[in-house]
Amino acid sequence: MPLSWNEIKNKALAFSKRWDDATREDSDAKPFWIDFFEIFGISDKRVATFEHAVKKLPGAKARTDGFVDLFWPGMLLVEHKSRGKHLDKAMDQAMGYLAGIAERDLPQVLVVCDFAHFRVRDLATGETREFALKDLHKHVRQFGFIAGYKTQTIKPQDPVNIRAAERMGKLHDALKASGYEGHALEVLLVRLLFCLFADDTGIFQPAQAMRSFMEERSAEDGTDLGPRLAQLFQVLNTPEDKRSKALDEQLAAFPYVNGKLFEEALPMADFSRAMREAFLDACALDWSAISPAIFGSLFQSIMDDKARRNLGAHYTSEENILKLIKPLFLDELWAEFHKVKGNKNRLFEFHKKLRLLTFFDPACGCGNFLVISYRELRLLELEILRVSHASGQQTLDVHQLISLNVDQFYGIEIEEFPAQIAQVALWLVDHQMNLRVSEEFGMYFARIPLKSTPHVVNGNALRLEWNDVLPAERCSFVLGNPPFLGKKEQSEAQKADFEPIVKNIPSSGVLDFVAAWYVKATRFIATAPNCRVAFVSTKSITQGEQVGVLWGWLLAQGVHIHFAHQTFRWTNEAKGNAAVHCVIVGFGLTDLAHKVIYEYEDVKGEALAVPAAHINPYLIDFPDLLISRRSVPICAVPPLVEGITPLDNGILSFTTPELSEFLEKEPSAAKWIRPMLTGKDFINNGSNHCLWLSDATASELRAMPHVMEKVAKVKKFRENSKSSQKFAGTPWLYRETTIPERYILIPKTSSETRQYFPLGFAEKVVVTNSALYMDGGGVYEFGMLCSAMHNAWLQLVGGRLKSDLRYSKDIVYNNYPWPDLPATAEPGTSAHKARVAIEAAAQGVLDTRARFQQGDNHASLADLYDPLTMPPLLHKAHQKLDAAVDAAYAQCGGKKTWKNDAERVAFLFELYQRVTSLLPAEKPKGRKPRKAATPAT
């Protein structure tokens, strides 16, 4: 183990005195540097070479061929001069050597010295410091990396995380191509990850001991590298007192690791020259700088060729993990620390309390949440130690001071490889934090051999009994990021896992996969009501019909929401940046007095923490209220109807070129051609056509042979389709046979980036079931549905198709509370004035749209409502409409203006309660096939 800092400082001071009168480079430099390494307890002179030859590169301007005075590959380069020589020239000479050094051997630090002075340059930061020999003891920490004191600020966005994963990826590919694959390959890579980290953080002594051993003791053609690695793993798995007395001196210096990490015997891997180079390239990186939380997922992605192309797309950023763990437990613990830090006894009890906490992630993946939670707790513990031992940099037995350990962390992961990574990642962050403590208190500390082990189980979290992993009464916090899978994306195996969990919940077929974790966590904590839970989830569980189903059950079990992050963009820092719109929900079976909602003005921006009296399943400060499916509107407004369902396999529809070709063959069919629109077509100016034959007589149909040919194809298609067989008898008709001449068309989906939902009027058009339509709706209804008020309601209670807004008749429209502005209101009354104002403003929106939809530059609704291209005139017209709608709602007890959508929705919920309290309750209904619609004309 490395010496303590006090020992190193004392040795540095003695060294300065011994070499105070040295002057000559040729006779004194080599013994000077051999003695210098002794300061750090390193007597093995093979870590560095003297007079290392460097060849001049072709085309180099400066002379770079020659001999480096001292060179430690990947670590240190020294250029030494006689006393009194100018160090500027020496530094230029040292920098010149870099061009002739292989990339993987480039040093981290350059040192030039004339005995009396040191000049030290950190090549990573560019920082240069200079000091006198007599002051070496004051600056000796700059050389801490020699002893293994290599603490760094770990940055998740540090490119070293990506580079490390890419280099391991190359090694993985080479081994797999050689036939070494499966479980053996996964275990080998996890072991190498630990060893590479140990090589750069003082676990292995001296630094880069494994790299030196493999580079010096294996053949350049790679043929014996596999046996060398197997030999190293065996040594790492053997206690020092059990090893052969004839063991190679370099191997004997490696510590006993334990933790069962090296216990399993693996088949021997065969290496080639290129594979050995790939391995040494990986060794050359500075692995002390990696973030275990981030690198774990990157490392996992190298095993998947598809994921590799989007390397890092799926790891969870530290920033987002902190969004969950801070309100779940970390903020509260820090607040308690600040209360007790002035009282030694209470601080001691608080420290003991931290040791008793346990953390359970039942979908842990590579352990990101567990790793960051452990790191943050260790940072809190470090602050406790600072306060407890205020004298600071004294040498203490840090082993006795540190209480927290990795055995407080539990996880379940369905795949073996990430489960192994999670365990190793916790050990890595444990060592990183031990180095922080070592740096603080002057005594190097490494928990080697590994005695405490994280409890990461490789298994199916939906099949396993969680109490078998961690009894609920011993669990403090359940946390994590369960899989993001909609009900349609679940595989058959996942459905088989999911359905037994939710089978007793009515209408559970609408739930996303993540709901199973909410249900299982609620059952888990039933015997431990003080245990708290927080999950990252797709926002769909707090919107649309899932709310009534999932949260109806959760609330019935006594669940209380403690904190919530409203919708935000879940991103990472890596290549192929993957982003999903998510929420975070913290909950438990015990109510808390202080609740917080984290609101986002911009889903990509920072959150604003807002205290809340109560948080309901829509994640707003309002009593629990569940919006369920309704078959009819709660207000006296025209009903919405689903568009036409063709059931024709596209046979009766045409693109414009297809229609021209068809009419050349069947010109009499022109009478029966109508424009056909999907919701997407309506938004994007799409253009299609169809045969609308509802009014055609039998003789008219038979007079069109090419039409009859298509009708015959439809008949055959329907006969062979179970869902369409009953319509095979009328193959010239769609499922619905009527549609109004003019109506309001509402697409079912729209981009979430649009401030307003792009609906509008359609005339003499057949609209498909990708949209809804309102027969009998006029400018007033158009204006209400286009308003910011209605859009706020849609954003909150509507569902999602991926991240797009999903407009629902039964959830969004039928439950929407309209202002009481009847069309029959007497002129001059406030209701009549408000309705007229809305109609005028709505017409203003339509007129403004029309200005941009005429002529050659026929703008689509997608163009007009794109946040980047929305015309200012249209935006202004919508603002007038919003003001008119807001004023109408003010007559219902609301405000004239609302600060944000949260205020709008809170008011709409109040109005909803008032309206529905006067209505007879609807019986819950399951989803049924829709009957043929025959709206009045």
Side-chain angles (χ1 to χ4, degrees):
M1 287 294 171
L3 303 177
S4 73
W5 275 119
N6 278 1
E7 290 177 289
I8 291 172
K9 286 181 179 178
N10 290 335
K11 285 183 166 235
L13 188 60
F15 173 86
S16 299
K17 293 176 180 177
R18 279 198 304 274
W19 292 94
D20 183 53
D21 58 354
T23 59
R24 295 181 60 82
E25 176 190 355
D26 54 356
S27 59
D28 294 336
K30 186 173 181 178
F32 176 91
W33 286 101
I34 291 173
D35 197 20
F36 179 85
F37 282 114
E38 291 283 358
I39 294 173
F40 305 96
I42 296 177
S43 58
D44 186 349
K45 304 173 183 59
R46 289 193 306 158
V47 297
T49 57
F50 293 91
E51 297 299 315
H52 178 79
V54 176
K55 293 184 179 181
K56 180 178 179 181
L57 294 181
K61 294 181 180 179
R63 179 176 178 80
T64 56
D65 55 334
F67 295 89
V68 177
D69 290 334
L70 183 148
F71 184 54
W72 185 355
M75 299 289 284
L76 179 67
L77 184 151
V78 174
E79 184 62 27
H80 198 97
K81 299 297 179 185
S82 296
R83 185 179 290 262
K85 292 289 186 180
H86 206 290
L87 295 185
D88 288 347
K89 185 176 181 181
M91 183 58 77
D92 290 342
Q93 187 176 350
M95 292 292 292
Y97 286 132
L98 298 180
I101 296 174
E103 182 182 356
R104 71 164 175 246
D105 291 336
L106 287 171
Q108 299 171 32
V109 174
L110 293 184
V111 178
V112 295
C113 179
D114 71 342
F115 293 109
H117 298 89
F118 290 84
R119 184 179 293 177
V120 182
R121 177 172 295 178
D122 185 322
L123 290 179
T125 65
E127 183 181 5
T128 300
R129 294 186 182 180
E130 187 168 335
F131 51 86
L133 172 66
K134 64 183 179 62
D135 294 325
L136 174 62
H137 64 289
K138 299 178 182 178
H139 299 272
V140 74
R141 285 179 180 269
Q142 290 189 61
F143 299 101
F145 65 93
I146 295 175
Y149 288 97
K150 195 170 186 180
T151 60
Q152 299 193 13
T153 301
I154 307 302
K155 300 177 182 178
Q157 68 274 21
D158 194 321
V160 72
N161 292 294
I162 300 293
R163 291 201 304 272
E166 287 172 339
R167 293 194 187 185
M168 289 296 279
K170 290 180 181 178
L171 183 59
H172 159 270
D173 289 350
L175 285 164
K176 189 174 182 180
S178 74
Y180 197 85
E181 55 188 354
H183 172 78
L185 176 58
E186 294 175 355
V187 174
L188 175 63
L189 289 174
V190 170
R191 288 180 180 178
L192 290 178
L193 169 61
F194 180 88
C195 290
L196 290 165
F197 181 83
D199 223 23
D200 283 324
T201 55
I203 296 176
F204 294 166
Q205 284 286 311
Q208 297 208 334
M210 182 184 71
R211 175 186 173 180
S212 298
F213 177 74
M214 295 301 170
E215 199 160 21
E216 295 171 11
R217 299 298 186 89
S218 68
E220 290 187 2
D221 63 4
T223 52
D224 62 350
L225 183 58
R228 287 297 192 193
L229 284 171
Q231 188 180 21
L232 173 63
F233 296 158
Q234 184 180 10
V235 168
L236 295 173
N237 193 51
T238 306
E240 284 86 345
D241 60 352
K242 303 291 185 182
R243 296 175 181 176
S244 167
K245 300 296 186 289
L247 185 64
D248 179 279
E249 182 182 355
Q250 273 184 279
L251 278 172
F254 286 95
Y256 170 49
V257 172
N258 197 14
K260 297 186 178 181
L261 181 58
F262 298 96
E263 185 175 72
E264 181 183 355
L266 296 180
M268 200 80 71
D270 296 314
F271 285 77
S272 65
R273 182 185 299 272
M275 293 164 68
R276 180 178 181 270
E277 288 296 308
F279 170 71
L280 293 176
D281 282 344
C283 291
L285 272 179
D286 180 8
W287 289 78
S288 68
I290 69 166
S291 166
I294 300 311
F295 185 77
S297 292
L298 290 176
F299 192 28
Q300 182 189 2
S301 72
I302 72 175
M303 303 298 290
D304 184 335
D305 292 337
K306 184 181 292 185
R308 183 101 53 83
R309 297 189 206 109
N310 201 17
L311 187 60
H314 305 294
Y315 79 70
T316 308
S317 73
E318 293 188 17
E319 178 188 3
N320 283 333
I321 293 171
L322 289 169
K323 287 179 180 177
L324 184 148
I325 67 173
K326 282 171 63 65
L328 178 62
F329 63 85
L330 198 57
D331 289 343
E332 185 177 327
L333 291 176
W334 273 101
E336 186 175 351
F337 163 73
H338 287 298
K339 285 182 180 178
V340 304
K341 67 180 181 181
N343 184 307
K344 187 174 182 180
N345 290 332
R346 291 178 67 192
L347 184 62
F348 177 74
E349 291 301 318
F350 176 65
H351 196 178
K352 284 172 56 179
K353 169 186 171 178
L354 294 186
R355 175 58 180 156
L356 298 176
L357 298 177
T358 54
F359 303 81
F360 176 36
D361 184 347
C364 71
C366 294
N368 305 23
F369 279 81
L370 299 177
V371 165
I372 298 301
S373 296
Y374 183 45
R375 184 196 70 190
E376 293 300 312
L377 286 171
R378 288 292 304 270
L379 289 172
L380 174 56
E381 183 181 48
L382 179 57
E383 196 62 34
I384 293 172
L385 298 180
R386 283 175 180 148
V387 173
S388 303
H389 305 277
S391 55
Q393 302 296 333
Q394 55 184 333
T395 302
L396 297 169
D397 184 359
V398 291
H399 185 278
Q400 299 301 319
L401 299 178
I402 296 174
S403 168
L404 298 175
N405 213 324
V406 295
D407 58 2
Q408 295 173 246
F409 294 83
Y410 297 75
I412 301 173
E413 169 52 35
I414 196 167
E415 296 181 32
E416 180 187 14
F417 186 46
Q420 292 175 347
I421 295 172
Q423 179 169 282
V424 171
L426 278 161
W427 277 326
L428 299 191
V429 80
D430 179 62
H431 188 64
Q432 285 180 333
M433 298 313 300
N434 292 340
L435 290 178
R436 291 283 293 270
V437 176
S438 301
E439 178 72 16
E440 186 83 12
F441 293 102
M443 177 69 77
Y444 184 88
F445 172 47
R447 281 198 257 237
I448 298 294
L450 301 171
K451 294 180 180 177
S452 297
T453 302
H455 308 278
V456 180
V457 176
N458 172 211
N460 186 330
L462 298 186
R463 296 283 184 178
L464 283 176
E465 170 53 58
W466 290 6
N467 278 285
D468 292 342
V469 179
L470 171 64
E473 59 270 17
R474 287 182 46 221
C475 182
S476 307
F477 302 99
V478 180
L479 70 166
N481 179 15
F484 292 174
L485 283 173
K487 54 184 177 290
K488 293 181 180 179
E489 287 78 36
Q490 297 170 28
S491 68
E492 290 303 315
Q494 289 166 334
K495 288 177 182 176
D497 295 337
F498 178 78
E499 287 168 0
I501 305 297
V502 300
K503 65 182 179 181
N504 294 325
I505 300 176
S507 303
S508 59
V510 305
L511 296 176
D512 286 348
F513 200 49
V514 70
W517 272 261
Y518 279 79
V519 172
K520 198 155 184 178
T522 300
R523 290 173 178 152
F524 175 68
I525 65 176
T527 58
N530 291 323
C531 180
R532 296 189 222 162
V533 185
F535 289 137
V536 181
S537 312
T538 47
K539 61 184 178 181
S540 55
I541 65 158
T542 61
Q543 296 170 318
E545 59 186 329
Q546 292 196 57
V547 175
V549 176
L550 175 61
W551 288 98
W553 185 88
L554 292 174
L555 294 175
Q557 312 311 305
V559 163
H560 300 271
I561 299 178
H562 300 151
F563 72 91
H565 280 263
Q566 293 178 348
T567 303
F568 67 97
R569 191 174 173 91
W570 184 261
T571 58
N572 64 72
E573 305 291 341
K575 296 178 182 177
N577 188 2
V580 183
H581 285 195
C582 298
V583 295
I584 297 174
V585 184
F587 64 96
L589 296 179
T590 302
D591 200 10
L592 298 183
H594 302 290
K595 302 178 180 68
V596 179
I597 298 174
Y598 296 87
E599 297 179 354
Y600 291 81
E601 191 73 26
D602 178 353
V603 294
K604 295 180 285 186
E606 296 296 319
L608 175 66
V610 179
H614 184 83
I615 305 174
N616 77 7
Y618 295 97
L619 310 187
I620 62 171
D621 189 352
F622 196 80
D624 292 329
L625 178 66
L626 305 178
I627 306 297
S628 301
R629 297 169 63 88
R630 283 184 178 270
S631 59
V632 296
I634 63 173
C635 297
V637 292
L640 285 191
V641 181
E642 207 169 69
I644 299 300
T645 306
L647 299 179
D648 71 333
N649 201 30
I651 296 167
L652 299 180
S653 61
F654 308 89
T655 63
T656 299
E658 289 170 344
L659 179 61
S660 298
E661 184 179 341
F662 181 74
L663 291 179
E664 285 183 10
K665 297 186 295 183
E666 193 77 88
S668 59
K671 174 183 177 182
W672 309 104
I673 298 296
R674 278 204 188 188
M676 173 180 263
L677 287 179
T678 63
K680 186 176 181 180
D681 290 335
F682 180 72
I683 294 173
N684 294 281
N685 282 355
S687 177
N688 285 291
H689 313 269
C690 69
L691 280 165
W692 183 257
L693 302 169
S694 295
D695 299 326
T697 64
S699 60
E700 287 173 320
L701 287 172
R702 285 195 295 270
M704 298 182 289
H706 294 287
V707 170
M708 290 301 293
E709 183 181 327
K710 282 184 170 289
V711 168
K713 289 181 180 179
V714 172
K715 181 177 177 64
K716 183 177 180 180
F717 166 74
R718 290 180 179 177
E719 288 173 341
N720 292 324
S721 171
K722 288 183 179 180
S723 62
S724 306
Q725 281 176 353
K726 65 180 180 179
F727 298 98
T730 54
W732 63 93
L733 299 176
Y734 293 142
R735 192 173 76 172
E736 295 77 35
T737 59
T738 62
I739 194 164
E741 288 291 300
R742 188 173 187 270
Y743 50 85
I744 295 176
L745 188 154
I746 305 175
K748 283 186 178 178
T749 59
S750 171
S751 169
E752 62 185 1
T753 63
R754 297 177 182 130
Q755 187 175 353
Y756 299 97
F757 203 84
L759 55 100
F761 287 94
E763 192 167 349
K764 296 181 179 179
V765 170
V766 176
V767 64
T768 71
N769 58 353
S770 62
L772 303 163
Y773 67 85
M774 180 192 292
D775 182 22
V779 176
Y780 167 71
E781 286 77 16
F782 165 81
M784 287 297 303
L785 298 181
C786 264
S787 68
M789 187 70 76
H790 184 67
N791 204 62
W793 177 265
L794 167 62
Q795 289 273 358
L796 191 72
V797 307
R800 287 293 190 276
L801 182 62
K802 297 184 179 178
S803 62
D804 288 341
L805 287 169
R806 183 78 166 164
Y807 200 100
S808 161
K809 170 175 66 74
D810 294 342
I811 296 288
V812 178
Y813 182 78
N814 287 348
N815 283 297
Y816 184 62
W818 293 60
D820 187 15
L821 306 177
T824 57
E826 289 290 330
T829 61
S830 58
H832 181 267
K833 290 178 181 178
R835 187 178 179 105
V836 169
I838 292 172
E839 289 175 341
Q843 188 62 52
V845 169
L846 291 169
D847 292 344
T848 306
R849 281 186 185 180
R851 291 181 57 178
F852 297 97
Q853 293 181 313
Q854 296 173 352
D856 295 335
N857 298 321
H858 187 65
S860 66
L861 291 177
D863 299 326
L864 294 178
Y865 287 94
D866 186 317
L868 299 177
T869 61
M870 186 175 186
L873 285 176
L874 181 58
H875 193 267
K876 188 174 181 180
H878 269 285
Q879 287 178 324
K880 288 182 179 179
L881 174 60
D882 292 340
V885 172
D886 288 351
Y889 277 110
Q891 297 181 29
C892 304
K895 304 178 180 181
K896 290 187 177 179
T897 59
W898 279 264
K899 288 190 299 186
N900 52 42
D901 283 351
E903 284 192 357
R904 293 178 187 276
V905 172
F907 163 69
L908 289 173
F909 270 27
E910 291 177 8
L911 186 56
Y912 171 86
Q913 284 186 314
R914 294 207 302 266
V915 173
T916 55
S917 67
L918 304 175
L919 298 176
E922 275 201 344
K923 293 182 179 180
K925 295 180 180 179
R927 187 183 295 274
K928 296 180 179 179
R930 185 167 66 87
K931 296 180 180 179
T934 54
T937 58

